[in-house]
Amino acid sequence: MTDNIIQVEHVAKHFGSLEVLKDISLEVERGQVVTIIGPSGSGKSTLLRCLNLLEKPDGGKIIFEGQDILAPGIKIADIRKKEVMVFQHFNLFKNMTVLRNVTYAPMVVNGKSREEADKDGRELLAKVGLADKAGEYPSRLSGGQQQRVAIARAMAMHPDVLLLDEPTSALDPEMVKEVLDVIRELAQSGITMVLVTHEMGFARDVSDMIHFMDGGYLVESAPPTEFFAHPKSERAQKFLSKILS
């Protein structure tokens, strides 16, 4: 019996007349690293944002830890404590030090003491290679360093699922590896992750399952070895031939 932490059932989403998600169904098992790939505009980020209700689907169900989070009466804040998002553009508080950025939500949202939050925050900054930057402000960090702070901030909530929306797309090429290395370590730690990325080699290395989207549809799902070596759909074959050539 599989231990599904997330079940997406026939989810649809449109913005005005534009249908962005069309009858999407997929499952994420606890402890899996699941990567959503596809061309720009295929609906990947919208699907990810639906998982923690940054966008609300127009139809279907999203079952998270056995509960339909689209049902009436669901507290969105409670869902977002357990499914935490890392964005493309860091979204750090510019007026707070690195450590304060990491400890703010655990203290305000989860009620941790300053002492407890600081201890946890410093440990997480050490894990992402930024122990010496705790007292700095974001403006003094590189883009790669800021994104590593954002990952530490997300992990400070000790989420059940980490959602990463193209976490390297805003970075200069030389900074991409330092962020991918941190995510790779997280992937090996056993946390459940759902990742949207254009980094195909990384997706192949870290993922348990690949979901390929195009035009709002989930076109193909397979383990990475199978998907990258023998994509079944013509659309996935064309996409990979352009990306990997």
Side-chain angles (χ1 to χ4, degrees):
M1 181 177 172
T2 59
D3 181 15
N4 290 333
I5 191 168
I6 297 172
Q7 289 172 263
V8 177
E9 300 178 0
H10 307 291
V11 160
K13 175 68 180 175
H14 58 261
F15 297 109
S17 61
L18 182 62
E19 198 174 4
V20 182
L21 299 178
K22 305 169 184 176
D23 195 31
I24 303 290
S25 295
L26 59 83
E27 297 174 346
V28 179
E29 292 181 29
R30 195 176 297 274
Q32 271 193 328
V33 177
V34 170
T35 303
I36 305 168
I37 66 172
S40 296
S42 59
K44 309 181 298 294
S45 291
T46 300
L47 175 58
L48 198 70
R49 290 169 68 86
C50 284
L51 294 183
N52 76 344
L53 302 179
L54 284 168
E55 301 288 355
K56 191 161 185 185
D58 299 307
K61 291 182 177 181
I62 298 176
I63 313 295
F64 174 62
E65 297 185 331
Q67 182 179 42
D68 182 4
I69 64 173
L70 303 181
I74 292 295
K75 292 183 178 177
I76 293 176
D78 290 342
I79 302 304
R80 291 185 188 152
K81 285 181 193 178
K82 295 183 175 184
E83 291 188 75
V84 178
M85 178 88 85
V86 175
F87 299 90
Q88 297 177 36
H89 293 288
F90 329 138
N91 294 352
L92 299 178
F93 296 114
K94 293 181 173 61
N95 63 331
M96 294 183 184
T97 64
V98 163
L99 181 61
R100 185 79 170 123
N101 265 281
V102 173
T103 61
Y104 182 77
M107 290 168 61
V108 172
V109 178
N110 289 351
K112 274 192 173 183
S113 68
R114 170 65 71 94
E115 184 180 15
E116 186 183 9
D118 279 3
K119 181 176 182 294
D120 193 34
R122 289 182 186 280
E123 288 173 0
L124 286 164
L125 287 172
K127 280 186 180 177
V128 300
L130 294 172
D132 60 332
K133 302 294 185 183
E136 294 281 10
Y137 286 85
S139 62
R140 295 177 60 85
L141 305 183
S142 70
Q145 289 171 330
Q146 289 186 60
Q147 189 61 292
R148 285 188 278 154
V149 173
I151 292 169
R153 177 181 60 183
M155 292 303 296
M157 295 298 288
H158 295 280
D160 294 343
V161 178
L162 188 62
L163 308 173
L164 299 109
D165 185 14
E166 301 192 24
T168 60
S169 67
L171 301 179
D172 292 334
E174 67 268 22
M175 296 176 186
V176 169
K177 183 180 182 298
E178 67 189 58
V179 172
L180 292 181
D181 285 346
V182 167
I183 299 171
R184 196 185 304 272
E185 280 192 30
L186 286 176
Q188 293 167 351
S189 74
I191 186 171
T192 308
M193 290 171 51
V194 184
L195 171 72
V196 171
T197 186
H198 289 294
E199 302 287 340
M200 293 299 108
F202 180 73
R204 181 169 47 200
D205 290 347
V206 304
S207 306
D208 297 299
M209 182 64 68
I210 300 286
H211 295 294
F212 173 71
M213 292 185 66
D214 185 50
Y217 290 101
L218 180 56
V219 177
E220 187 168 342
S221 300
T225 50
E226 183 181 322
F227 177 81
F228 285 102
H230 306 290
K232 291 184 173 63
S233 65
E234 185 180 348
R235 186 64 190 91
Q237 290 166 15
K238 283 184 178 178
F239 175 77
L240 289 176
S241 70
K242 287 181 180 177
I243 293 289
L244 300 178
S245 61

